[in-house]
Amino acid sequence: MTEMTMGKALTAAMRRALAHDEKTLVMGEDIGRLGGVFRITDGLQSEFGPRRVVDTPLAESGIVGTAVGLAFRGFRPIVEIQFDGFVYPAFDQIVSQVAKLHYRTQGRVKMPITIRIPWAGGVGAAEHHSESPEAYFVHTAGLRVVAVSNPQDAYTMLRQAIASDDPVVFFEPKRLYHAKGDVDLDADIADAAPLGLARVVREGTDVTVVTYGAQVTTALDAALAAEDEGISLEVIDLRSLSPVDYGTVAASVRRTGRVVVTHEASREAGVAAEVIASITEKCFHYLEAPPLRVTGHDIPYPPAKLEQHHLPDLDRILDAVDRVLGRPSGVPEVTA
């Protein structure tokens, strides 16, 4: 095991993929000589050259469109979108081409493209730099969508995504880039948990809390605080947002009878809504209380000075836990 940050784990995953397969390449804005805005690709161009680690024009649609052409020719492009809010110019390419070409060609053409997106808030950034657009891609058939929450998953899941013949939208929480953890750099991805499998990161008996990305840390903090009041929270990291591992989630809800789903993205038509709808269908007779969502507000992402009021925190999660347990609530429920 090696202790490293999530950012360094992602770099290590790409370095290994580039060394393993000459058909793998990395593309994006400022990812070569600069090493990326967050330095996630730092050193890769000097090691593998500018034809394998490619600085592109500032044109997200062109970057992804080029990746489509490369995939047609047997390459495995790793595309970096510089910030989450910059993915929208590439939305047409991702939804209309990347997600559909395998189906459109009746399986003759594969799209082994990994689209890395530094994602979500908590870093005090300006507008268009703290978006949570995952629901758009979850709604799109033909894409795998994953979100990592720790250095080991960052390393293993990025390697799995690059090796996959399916296109993968790979969300990396910016505020965890410097979070440290032990990483097994020699682990065989064939022995790792499948890319689409959720993980129970804390066992509990009273309420199931389902989340992903940086919110996993917040949920674990909430579970620790709830323990002081004699409440046992089970925390599940979805890891994969499309497909969702409903087997793991449903098994937990059948034990606890109560569920809270939390994410940074807006509430309306978010991932939490789909998870709750599906769990209600699968576990209706086990539920002791209506499932609840704890999410970002239905507003454009606020200025940095206000983001702490937008991001779901420990107190909002614990309030939802109180409500599903039928305990007095200190925060009025938002229904609009």
Side-chain angles (χ1 to χ4, degrees), residues 7 13 26 28 50 58 84 102 106 124 138 140 174 195-196 232 235 242 292 300:
V26 182
L58 305 183
D84 36 40
H102 185 70
Q106 297 182 328
V138 169
T140 303
K174 296 188 288 290
L195 192 61
S232 176
V235 179
S242 180
L292 292 179

Side-chain angles (χ1 to χ4, degrees), residues 105-146:
T105 61
Q106 297 182 328
R108 290 190 295 273
V109 174
K110 294 180 171 60
M111 284 285 115
I113 301 172
T114 302
I115 302 171
R116 294 181 42 246
I117 305 179
W119 157 73
V123 296
E127 64 177 349
H128 306 311
H129 294 68
S130 298
E131 304 280 326
S132 293
E134 59 266 28
Y136 296 120
F137 302 108
V138 169
H139 186 69
T140 303
L143 298 174
R144 284 182 174 270
V145 183
V146 301

Side-chain angles (χ1 to χ4, degrees), residues 99-319:
K100 293 182 171 60
L101 276 165
H102 185 70
Y103 180 82
R104 186 186 301 156
T105 61
Q106 297 182 328
R108 290 190 295 273
V109 174
K110 294 180 171 60
M111 284 285 115
I113 301 172
T114 302
I115 302 171
R116 294 181 42 246
I117 305 179
W119 157 73
V123 296
E127 64 177 349
H128 306 311
H129 294 68
S130 298
E131 304 280 326
S132 293
E134 59 266 28
Y136 296 120
F137 302 108
V138 169
H139 186 69
T140 303
L143 298 174
R144 284 182 174 270
V145 183
V146 301
V148 294
S149 67
N150 59 79
Q152 182 66 67
D153 273 355
Y155 176 73
T156 304
M157 292 173 67
L158 183 54
R159 286 183 58 200
Q160 290 172 316
I162 297 165
S164 173
D165 285 336
D166 298 323
V168 181
V169 179
F170 195 94
F171 284 108
E172 305 165 5
K174 296 188 288 290
R175 60 178 154 137
L176 295 186
Y177 273 148
H178 298 293
K180 290 184 176 180
D182 289 333
V183 179
D184 183 358
L185 295 173
D186 297 320
D188 189 340
I189 59 173
D191 298 328
L195 192 61
L197 193 68
R199 178 179 293 126
V200 178
V201 293
R202 180 186 172 111
E203 294 184 350
T205 57
D206 296 326
V207 180
T208 298
V209 179
V210 181
T211 189
Y212 54 90
Q215 281 297 108
V216 172
T217 301
T218 308
L220 288 171
D221 290 342
L224 191 63
E227 192 174 45
D228 292 338
E229 298 185 26
I231 300 170
S232 176
L233 302 186
E234 181 149 296
V235 179
I236 295 179
D237 179 0
L238 286 179
R239 299 171 75 246
S240 174
L241 310 184
S242 180
V244 171
D245 174 13
Y246 284 114
T248 296
V249 180
S252 176
V253 174
R254 287 172 185 143
R255 290 194 302 270
T256 65
R258 296 172 172 84
V259 60
V260 172
V261 185
T262 178
H263 57 59
E264 286 188 32
S266 299
R267 182 175 187 268
E268 188 73 16
V271 170
E274 178 58 33
V275 170
I276 285 174
S278 296
I279 289 303
T280 301
E281 291 173 353
K282 297 174 186 297
C283 303
F284 181 79
H285 294 291
Y286 294 86
L287 289 170
E288 301 289 342
L292 292 179
R293 290 170 283 179
V294 182
T295 70
H297 302 300
D298 290 329
I299 58 172
Y301 199 86
K305 289 183 179 180
L306 298 176
E307 70 175 351
Q308 72 271 21
H309 302 293
H310 178 74
L311 298 174
D313 59 10
L314 178 149
D315 289 334
R316 287 174 61 193
I317 293 174
L318 290 178
D319 177 71

